[in-house]
Amino acid sequence: MTVSVNVPSGFADRPMGMQDSYPGFAKRRRVIENRLVDFFDEAGYELVSSGAFEFVDTLLRARPFEAAREWVQLFDGMGNAIALRPEMTPSIARMAAPLVTAAKLPIRWSYAERVYRRTNDPASLSWASGKAAESTQVGVEWIGEAGATADAQVLDLCHRATLALGLQETQTVVSHARLLPALLKALGVPGELVADGLACLTRGDYVAFRAVLPSTLPDVIGILQAVTPYEPDSLADATAGAIWQSETARQEMEAAWGSLVLLASAVTDLGLKEQVMFDLTLHRDITYYTGLVFEVFAPGVGAPIALGGRYDDLLAQFGSAAPAVGLAFEVERVLAVLGAPMTAADTFSAGSLGAAVNHAGGGL
């Protein structure tokens, strides 16, 4: 007897941005995850994990309410607003707060988790686009240590991790979360225009940034591109003709610059000067960063394969103040650099599987 089954049209469709991982790709991703977890474990970072959902209130600590628009939200059985985590740092801060209160510092933790963001962008179908709605992050958080030396050690850890993955041509781009906002305020830019300008730089849109600012200002992009903390006097030279409108903001700018100069010295001492470049136009839209921010790029992928920064005020939002710095690798972007196929047709090639794994530095 023949049994007919009526299958609804579109039965194999996926929600926007969700990804299927076929055998070859899923196996490679696990190889990269394990390699990073093992590397961080050897460096003294213990693996932790958290639930996929967080209270929206937890995720909004030190973040503007508008950030929640990019989160996948719903209500739990008690009517509380919860969301799929869009990143791991707030979860780590929540978990670490009781230990910080008990003075159990320093804390060095690692994680390997999925993160999620709301998207209506067709580009989210590509992990390498930087707009993926679902991605895998493997990272570390170092809580309880402040200063340029610790920041440089995190940059060094990140660089050595890229080498452990077999990536030889990466470039780390570094900035400071508070330098550019302070420079704009010191030049007298109104607060709402500062926010608009920073949003433009988050998108990398220099044209829009220049259009937002008053035409009477000096060329801020030109100033930022002309200076480097490897040359401590370069900021003073580039702003010699500036007319400062806020002494408080100018002092904040100089404090941020001073921390970058110390970082440049520490980076040089670690032999990382060739790998680390300073680009003070770099701006991240994560508002809890208080100092170092950085992104790591590799040939073939337009979005950073790793990123991170310092967030000295976030733990205080959970009742336990402590300095902290961290980084996260975007695993799918790493695989894109390594040439891992992502389609059903490509993933069953045993030859390509072996090639990508060997390129990553070892067998399965």
Side-chain angles (χ1 to χ4, degrees), residues 9-81:
S9 61
F11 74 97
D13 290 348
R14 299 168 303 184
M16 177 70 76
M18 295 296 101
Q19 301 284 354
D20 296 324
S21 300
Y22 287 87
F25 183 81
K27 193 171 186 179
R28 291 182 213 185
R29 179 168 59 191
R30 185 55 56 88
V31 168
I32 297 301
E33 288 182 54
N34 290 343
R35 186 150 299 153
L36 285 169
V37 168
D38 290 345
F39 177 83
F40 292 140
D41 181 69
E42 292 175 2
Y45 291 83
E46 297 180 292
L47 185 66
V48 297
S49 182
S50 72
F53 285 95
E54 288 283 358
F55 289 120
V56 168
D57 179 63
T58 297
L59 297 173
L60 283 174
R61 304 292 173 97
R63 298 288 301 273
F65 183 79
E66 291 76 14
R69 296 172 182 170
E70 299 181 357
W71 304 340
V72 180
Q73 298 185 52
L74 64 156
F75 293 94
D76 66 11
M78 302 296 292
N80 300 304

Side-chain angles (χ1 to χ4, degrees), residues 30-326:
R30 185 55 56 88
V31 168
I32 297 301
E33 288 182 54
N34 290 343
R35 186 150 299 153
L36 285 169
V37 168
D38 290 345
F39 177 83
F40 292 140
D41 181 69
E42 292 175 2
Y45 291 83
E46 297 180 292
L47 185 66
V48 297
S49 182
S50 72
F53 285 95
E54 288 283 358
F55 289 120
V56 168
D57 179 63
T58 297
L59 297 173
L60 283 174
R61 304 292 173 97
R63 298 288 301 273
F65 183 79
E66 291 76 14
R69 296 172 182 170
E70 299 181 357
W71 304 340
V72 180
Q73 298 185 52
L74 64 156
F75 293 94
D76 66 11
M78 302 296 292
N80 300 304
I82 60 176
L84 284 169
R85 58 182 176 230
E87 55 182 309
M88 280 299 298
T89 301
S91 299
I92 296 294
R94 174 185 56 74
M95 293 172 60
L99 299 180
V100 174
T101 299
K104 296 184 180 297
L105 293 172
I107 296 170
R108 294 191 184 193
W109 284 345
S110 68
Y111 57 84
E113 303 281 6
R114 294 291 184 89
V115 295
Y116 303 86
R117 302 171 186 88
R118 181 191 301 275
T119 182
N120 294 314
D121 191 335
S124 66
L125 298 179
S126 168
W127 271 307
S129 70
K131 301 177 181 179
E134 174 190 25
S135 63
T136 308
Q137 291 186 347
V138 180
V140 302
E141 308 292 346
W142 183 5
I143 299 170
E145 194 70 33
T149 299
D151 289 349
Q153 289 175 359
V154 167
L155 293 175
D156 180 57
L157 178 73
C158 188
H159 177 62
R160 288 188 291 112
T162 65
L163 296 179
L165 294 173
L167 303 175
Q168 301 292 330
E169 300 180 2
T170 61
Q171 182 74 61
T172 302
V173 180
V174 173
S175 186
H176 192 290
R178 290 181 172 171
L179 188 142
L180 178 55
L183 172 61
L184 294 176
K185 293 173 185 176
L187 290 171
V189 178
E192 64 275 11
L193 293 186
V194 170
D196 291 344
L198 294 177
C200 294
L201 285 189
T202 298
R203 303 191 302 269
D205 191 340
Y206 290 179
V207 174
F209 176 81
R210 288 187 167 105
V212 162
L213 299 186
S215 58
T216 54
L217 287 185
D219 181 9
V220 175
I221 294 294
I223 290 173
L224 296 175
Q225 292 178 333
V227 304
T228 173
Y230 291 124
E231 299 174 10
D233 295 330
S234 60
L235 181 63
D237 293 341
T239 59
I243 300 175
W244 304 117
Q245 303 296 324
S246 169
E247 180 63 19
T248 299
R250 187 189 67 81
Q251 291 176 359
E252 184 178 356
M253 176 193 71
E254 291 185 348
W257 175 254
S259 69
L260 285 178
V261 170
L262 292 175
L263 176 61
S265 176
V267 162
T268 301
D269 291 344
L270 288 174
L272 292 176
K273 190 173 181 178
E274 294 300 317
Q275 284 76 39
V276 175
M277 66 171 288
F278 289 88
D279 180 357
L280 304 185
T281 67
L282 171 64
H283 181 74
R284 302 279 304 284
D285 61 354
I286 298 180
T287 54
Y288 55 67
Y289 283 134
T290 59
L292 165 75
V293 290
F294 67 94
E295 297 179 345
V296 181
F297 293 90
V301 176
I305 63 167
L307 58 173
R310 175 163 289 280
Y311 51 99
D312 286 348
D313 295 342
L314 182 58
L315 269 295
Q317 298 291 321
F318 295 91
S320 303
V325 62

